[in-house]
Amino acid sequence: MKLLSVIVPCYNEEENIRDFYDELFKNDLFFRENEIDVEVIYVDDGSKDKTVAEVKKLRTEDERVHLLSFSRNFGKEAAIYAGLQKSKGNLVVLMDADLQDPPSLLPEMYKYIEEGYDSVATRRVTRKGEPPIRSFFARIFYRLMNKISKTEIVDGARDFRLMTRQVVDAILAMTEYNRFTKGIFGWVGYETKWLEYENIERKKGETKWSFWKLFLYSLEGITAFSTMPLTAAAVIGALFCILAFCLIIVIIVKTLIFGDPTSGWPSMVCFMLLVGGIQLFCLGIAGQYLSKTYMEVKKRPIYLVKEDI
Ligand code: UDP
Ligand code: MG
């Protein structure tokens, strides 16, 4: 018998808990035909609504439902990590509670695992239903990220992924505090089959990711999987040194030939502002890495469990 662990991170998803369960077990025939046992692990990421109560209600009806509840909101990445740690299955799948990751795709994903792939990942080929400005910045992010990072990060990739135990253990071995899962998947490697599908809009409730949250998340991704900004800062600094050196020579020569007229004050101020700005910018880049290092060094737990049922 095979065991499939379904990990569902939930943050204020009370309306979706049961819908997700129903939708998942529409695959019942497929599970039975392939002798797959299922455990559903709802990871409650400190929800403020009735998410926990909903899961508990399901649990009284079906023993295969498990609940892991956090002491507060730790973020989706932490919820994924906790779910992976708790999972016992030899196959594990990550799915959103809002049904944007269609459970009807599971049989096809399973087929590829049977064929010998280590993981089956999904990406959306459209961003229908998303604000255009969000799609625009997402595209820029992926393009930039793939230029400056050696780890492949696929545009439109979702966290919806079916993995073998081997891959899960590899991901669990990465115990970093700043978890950028999209990068971690790429980093661990293994043979991955990509399935594509059109974006599906969220069934109920609303997205938990504001533009600002996404922006911070993208910075996290860059600092976690590339040190290119640090190199860029050093290069900018070096270029400015060379420029300054050339200008000094020009000024000395000019003074020797034409004397010392005290002009050029406004241009001086502009230049000082520019250089000061660049210095602060580069200091900020270094600061980003320092702050991430600081958080890593503290070795705080990635999440805290309140209830484990
Ligand atoms: N989520 C979470 N913690 C958070 C934010 C989101 O566990 O802090 C869960 C959420 O409940 C959902 C999944 O992560 O199951 C994806 O979130 P959402 O649908 O809001 O993101 P979107 O699909 O809009 O990118
Ligand atoms: Mg969603």
Side-chain angles (χ1 to χ4, degrees), residues 8-13 43 45 73-76 79 95-98 100 134 158 202 206-209 213:
V8 196
C10 307
Y11 179 50
N12 297 343
E13 301 279 7
V43 186
D45 187 10
N73 181 249
F74 280 89
K76 188 184 177 189
M95 301 181 87
D96 283 2
D98 57 8
Q100 278 189 298
R134 194 165 141 174
R158 298 199 48 91
R202 173 182 259 280
E206 52 193 48
T207 178
K208 312 297 177 302
W209 295 85
K213 232 173 145 184

Side-chain angles (χ1 to χ4, degrees), residues 10-22 40 42-44 47-62 65-69 97 204 307 309:
C10 307
Y11 179 50
N12 297 343
E13 301 279 7
E14 57 181 6
E15 315 124 297
N16 289 318
I17 299 294
R18 184 166 291 272
D19 289 1
F20 177 84
Y21 175 87
D22 292 341
V40 190
Y42 286 99
V43 186
D44 159 55
S47 299
K48 291 179 185 73
D49 63 357
K50 298 201 183 66
T51 300
V52 172
E54 281 295 318
V55 180
K56 282 182 178 165
K57 216 190 292 167
L58 264 189
R59 164 82 191 179
T60 56
E61 293 162 26
D62 190 342
V65 173
H66 303 265
L67 167 71
L68 195 63
S69 176
K204 294 173 183 165
E307 269 181 298
I309 306 171

Side-chain angles (χ1 to χ4, degrees), residues 4-7 76 80 84 91-96 101-102 105-106 109-110 113 118-123 151-164 167-168 171 180-195 197:
L4 170 71
S5 304
V6 183
I7 298 169
K76 188 184 177 189
I80 289 176
L84 291 177
L91 288 176
V92 177
V93 64
L94 298 173
M95 301 181 87
D96 283 2
D101 301 332
L105 223 58
L106 279 173
M109 293 168 92
Y110 178 73
I113 293 282
D118 303 301
S119 91
V120 183
T122 56
R123 63 183 284 262
T151 308
E152 197 201 0
I153 290 154
V154 178
D155 187 1
R158 298 199 48 91
D159 293 332
F160 183 22
R161 197 179 265 258
L162 180 63
M163 298 168 279
T164 60
V167 178
V168 172
I171 293 170
F180 184 69
T181 308
K182 288 184 202 316
I184 290 177
F185 287 144
W187 194 90
V188 296
Y190 292 100
E191 212 164 331
T192 304
K193 171 76 189 172
W194 285 93
L195 297 184
Y197 66 91

Side-chain angles (χ1 to χ4, degrees), residues 52-307:
V52 172
E54 281 295 318
V55 180
K56 282 182 178 165
K57 216 190 292 167
L58 264 189
R59 164 82 191 179
T60 56
E61 293 162 26
D62 190 342
E63 289 272 294
R64 293 174 295 179
V65 173
H66 303 265
L67 167 71
L68 195 63
S69 176
F70 288 175
S71 63
R72 64 167 170 83
N73 181 249
F74 280 89
K76 188 184 177 189
E77 305 292 330
I80 289 176
Y81 188 67
L84 291 177
Q85 274 190 328
K86 194 173 161 58
S87 69
K88 293 194 192 73
N90 28 25
L91 288 176
V92 177
V93 64
L94 298 173
M95 301 181 87
D96 283 2
D98 57 8
L99 289 171
Q100 278 189 298
D101 301 332
S104 54
L105 223 58
L106 279 173
E108 193 186 347
M109 293 168 92
Y110 178 73
K111 195 183 80 200
Y112 286 108
I113 293 282
E114 285 284 270
E115 275 179 21
Y117 283 100
D118 303 301
S119 91
V120 183
T122 56
R123 63 183 284 262
R124 356 174 237 188
V125 281
T126 57
R127 287 178 171 270
K128 187 180 61 157
E130 212 185 51
I133 184 100
R134 194 165 141 174
S135 310
F136 173 71
F137 279 106
R139 249 183 225 119
I140 291 185
F141 169 74
Y142 283 109
R143 210 171 294 160
L144 176 75
M145 194 67 201
N146 281 309
K147 280 230 170 71
I148 65 176
S149 170
K150 284 193 205 87
T151 308
E152 197 201 0
I153 290 154
V154 178
D155 187 1
R158 298 199 48 91
D159 293 332
F160 183 22
R161 197 179 265 258
L162 180 63
M163 298 168 279
T164 60
R165 178 47 51 183
Q166 194 183 25
V167 178
V168 172
D169 287 341
I171 293 170
L172 286 175
M174 298 179 75
T175 54
E176 58 213 70
Y177 183 81
N178 297 294
R179 302 191 71 77
F180 184 69
T181 308
K182 288 184 202 316
I184 290 177
F185 287 144
W187 194 90
V188 296
Y190 292 100
E191 212 164 331
T192 304
K193 171 76 189 172
W194 285 93
L195 297 184
E196 297 182 343
Y197 66 91
E198 303 238 326
N199 190 32
I200 300 166
E201 285 185 52
R202 173 182 259 280
K203 268 267 165 65
K204 294 173 183 165
E206 52 193 48
T207 178
K208 312 297 177 302
W209 295 85
S210 62
F211 189 81
W212 179 241
K213 232 173 145 184
L214 277 172
F215 176 70
L216 293 179
Y217 185 59
S218 69
L219 288 188
E220 191 127 304
I222 291 173
T223 49
F225 282 92
S226 171
T227 48
M228 191 54 93
L230 287 172
T231 315
V235 169
I236 292 173
L239 287 178
F240 266 73
C241 281
I242 294 169
L243 182 68
F245 188 73
C246 296
L247 286 176
I248 288 169
I249 290 177
V250 169
I251 286 171
I252 289 176
V253 172
K254 229 172 103 182
T255 312
L256 286 178
I257 297 172
F258 298 108
D260 184 23
T262 40
S263 64
W265 196 82
S267 54
M268 184 76 151
V269 171
C270 291
F271 204 64
M272 272 165 57
L273 276 179
L274 174 71
V275 174
I278 288 174
Q279 277 181 340
L280 278 182
F281 178 66
C282 294
L283 201 64
I285 291 177
Q288 279 295 313
Y289 285 89
L290 185 66
S291 70
K292 297 290 173 204
T293 314
Y294 178 60
M295 292 311 289
E296 287 304 335
V297 167
K298 282 193 186 202
K299 287 219 177 306
R300 282 185 185 157
I302 294 170
Y303 60 89
L304 290 174
V305 173
K306 191 173 147 207
E307 269 181 298

